[in-house]
Amino acid sequence: MGTAEIPDIVIGRLPIYLRALSRMALEGARVTSSHELGRRLGISSAQIRKDLSHFGEFGKQGTGYHVDFLVGKLRKILKVDHEWEVALVGVGDLGRALAHYNGFRDRGFKISLVFDSDPAKIGARLDGFEIQDAARMGELIKQHGITLAMVAVPAEAAQKVTDALVKAGVRGILNYAPINLVVPDEVRVQYIDPVVHLQRMTFYV
Amino acid sequence: MGTAEIPDIVIGRLPIYLRALSRMALEGARVTSSHELGRRLGISSAQIRKDLSHFGEFGKQGTGYHVDFLVGKLRKILKVDHEWEVALVGVGDLGRALAHYNGFRDRGFKISLVFDSDPAKIGARLDGFEIQDAARMGELIKQHGITLAMVAVPAEAAQKVTDALVKAGVRGILNYAPINLVVPDEVRVQYIDPVVHLQRMTFYV
């Protein structure tokens, strides 16, 4: 199956399905249905069946999905059936919270390099990481063959950091800085900005 | 203009436009164009013009947009021309980072109540806030007339917290817990989960 044929909006729902199914597995569920999954997610069962049908047959009419099997399939489709090393740039409050966050590991990710440009932070330990000098970012990221990074620096520094990451081979950036990044076509950026999410709600409230 | 007629995906882009325009204003720009804005955002100028046309005429053919004027209009459309009080529930690493975050205020939001259920945290000061007992959440949120909340509690506690928030009158929830929330139709939820964003990129990388 070519990835080009699958709409990006479908890909965007797969991690949500995976998260819900993983939780069901944790709760002891062995079998589920598109109805049950849809009810949990506020998505129609028809939508879920249609989304999954892009990737083959995962359930049988009337018997539903085997939770563990579908979790395995989704992990494979999303390529998180192995662990990705991620670089974290910026050790302010948010970067620190990300470094402490224990929700990455069993979901396919591991922070393995942490950078900051503040001389007062460089060399310090943070949860088992040594904070590295941002000046060595390109060199170390290449050395480790890292392709994913989280950017948690101030808006003013984000584009420059991004340029260096892209030059070092990073192909996916999770950007926490409240600014749009300009990147080449082959690089993906996802944005996390609480204000953007809040403003999206105030329109309706 | 009825909000029902405007696609949600258009509403979702407005905060991005507002953020970029606010930054342009900060950089001293007084006039811009849909081309310039599109170039910054990686969105076509035609898309930007079409999105904005839902709300009236903001620019003139050939002369572009007045940045301050458009910022003002977008703030009004998104209802962030005044400041919203927001409740924060959960003072772990992430909650702490959110409480410290200085990017809310000049973008329409102010954290005004902070809750946790940990007796060791209740009553402590956090950046000028006194951490309140989560048991008093409903009462205090009603008293303050707060309609927006950020949930930064563990996944296991998030639905229970949400139920209490909704009961107290909250109509918009920014959920950081890695779990889908079930809410009544009149309540909006936005999700922030770094793993979901990372998984959305690994499919392509």
Side-chain angles (χ1 to χ4, degrees):
Chain A
M1 85 219 158
T3 63
E5 305 150 27
I6 299 163
D8 185 56
I9 195 159
V10 174
I11 305 304
R13 281 191 289 262
L14 300 185
I16 311 287
Y17 298 162
L18 176 54
R19 188 175 65 180
L21 288 159
S22 302
R23 178 145 291 273
M24 285 182 188
L26 211 67
E27 292 167 3
R30 301 189 55 187
V31 178
T32 188
S33 64
S34 53
H35 287 279
E36 161 70 5
L37 189 55
R39 200 187 52 74
R40 283 205 177 212
L41 298 178
I43 297 176
S44 79
S45 57
Q47 182 72 69
I48 292 171
R49 286 194 302 271
K50 196 178 161 204
D51 286 351
L52 294 179
S53 73
H54 286 284
F55 305 95
E57 276 295 331
F58 296 131
K60 283 188 190 136
Q61 196 74 33
T63 63
Y65 303 114
H66 284 275
V67 176
D68 282 346
F69 176 78
L70 192 48
V71 163
K73 281 288 182 185
L74 286 171
R75 291 180 74 97
K76 197 159 183 174
I77 292 166
L78 293 168
K79 299 186 200 149
V80 288
D81 51 344
H82 66 275
E83 200 167 68
W84 294 73
E85 291 191 33
V86 184
L88 168 65
V89 192
V91 190
D93 288 314
L94 177 67
R96 219 167 274 276
L98 288 169
H100 291 159
Y101 185 54
N102 59 18
F104 288 119
R105 192 143 213 167
D106 51 356
R107 295 172 71 195
F109 305 96
K110 181 178 93 175
I111 293 177
S112 57
L113 283 173
V114 177
F115 297 97
D116 205 288
S117 60
D118 180 351
K121 291 177 182 168
I122 294 165
R125 311 280 312 175
L126 172 69
D127 252 330
F129 304 108
E130 185 186 338
I131 300 174
Q132 305 284 347
D133 186 349
R136 295 190 59 207
M137 205 162 64
E139 171 200 341
L140 289 171
I141 281 177
K142 267 189 221 161
Q143 207 175 87
H144 283 71
I146 288 177
T147 54
L148 290 175
M150 296 190 281
V151 172
V153 302
E156 293 69 35
Q159 184 64 53
K160 203 179 147 201
V161 162
T162 297
D163 294 343
L165 289 170
V166 170
K167 206 176 155 201
V170 168
R171 289 297 168 264
I173 293 172
L174 183 56
N175 177 33
Y176 281 86
I179 187 172
N180 255 73
L181 300 175
V182 179
V183 293
D185 284 345
E186 69 273 21
V187 178
R188 299 233 151 211
V189 182
Q190 289 272 309
Y191 295 89
I192 290 186
D193 179 346
V195 174
V196 164
H197 286 275
L198 287 169
Q199 289 180 346
R200 190 167 180 164
M201 294 193 287
T202 50
F203 177 82
Y204 295 101
V205 169
Chain B
M1 87 217 155
T3 62
E5 304 150 30
I6 300 162
D8 185 57
I9 196 158
V10 174
I11 305 305
R13 281 191 290 263
L14 299 185
I16 310 287
Y17 298 162
L18 176 54
R19 188 174 67 180
L21 288 160
S22 301
R23 178 145 291 271
M24 287 182 186
L26 210 69
E27 292 166 5
R30 299 189 55 187
V31 178
T32 188
S33 65
S34 53
H35 287 278
E36 160 71 4
L37 189 55
R39 200 188 50 73
R40 284 205 177 213
L41 298 179
I43 297 177
S44 80
S45 57
Q47 182 71 70
I48 291 172
R49 286 195 301 272
K50 196 178 161 203
D51 285 351
L52 294 178
S53 72
H54 285 284
F55 306 95
E57 276 295 332
F58 295 130
K60 281 188 192 136
Q61 196 73 37
T63 64
Y65 303 113
H66 285 275
V67 176
D68 282 345
F69 176 77
L70 191 48
V71 163
K73 281 288 184 186
L74 285 171
R75 290 181 73 96
K76 198 159 183 176
I77 292 167
L78 293 168
K79 300 188 199 145
V80 288
D81 51 345
H82 66 276
E83 200 167 68
W84 295 73
E85 292 192 34
V86 184
L88 168 65
V89 191
V91 190
D93 288 314
L94 177 67
R96 220 167 273 275
L98 288 170
H100 291 157
Y101 185 55
N102 60 17
F104 288 120
R105 194 145 212 163
D106 51 354
R107 295 171 73 196
F109 304 96
K110 182 179 92 175
I111 293 176
S112 58
L113 282 173
V114 177
F115 297 96
D116 204 288
S117 61
D118 180 352
K121 291 177 182 167
I122 295 165
R125 312 279 314 174
L126 172 69
D127 253 330
F129 304 108
E130 185 186 340
I131 300 175
Q132 305 284 346
D133 186 348
R136 295 189 59 208
M137 206 162 63
E139 170 201 342
L140 289 171
I141 283 177
K142 268 188 220 164
Q143 206 175 89
H144 283 70
I146 288 177
T147 54
L148 290 175
M150 295 189 283
V151 172
V153 303
E156 292 69 35
Q159 184 63 54
K160 203 180 149 200
V161 162
T162 297
D163 294 343
L165 290 170
V166 170
K167 205 175 155 198
V170 167
R171 290 296 170 266
I173 293 172
L174 182 56
N175 177 33
Y176 282 86
I179 186 173
N180 256 72
L181 300 175
V182 179
V183 294
D185 284 346
E186 70 271 22
V187 178
R188 298 233 152 211
V189 182
Q190 290 272 309
Y191 295 91
I192 290 186
D193 179 345
V195 174
V196 164
H197 287 274
L198 287 169
Q199 289 180 346
R200 192 171 177 160
M201 294 192 288
T202 50
F203 177 82
Y204 297 100
V205 168

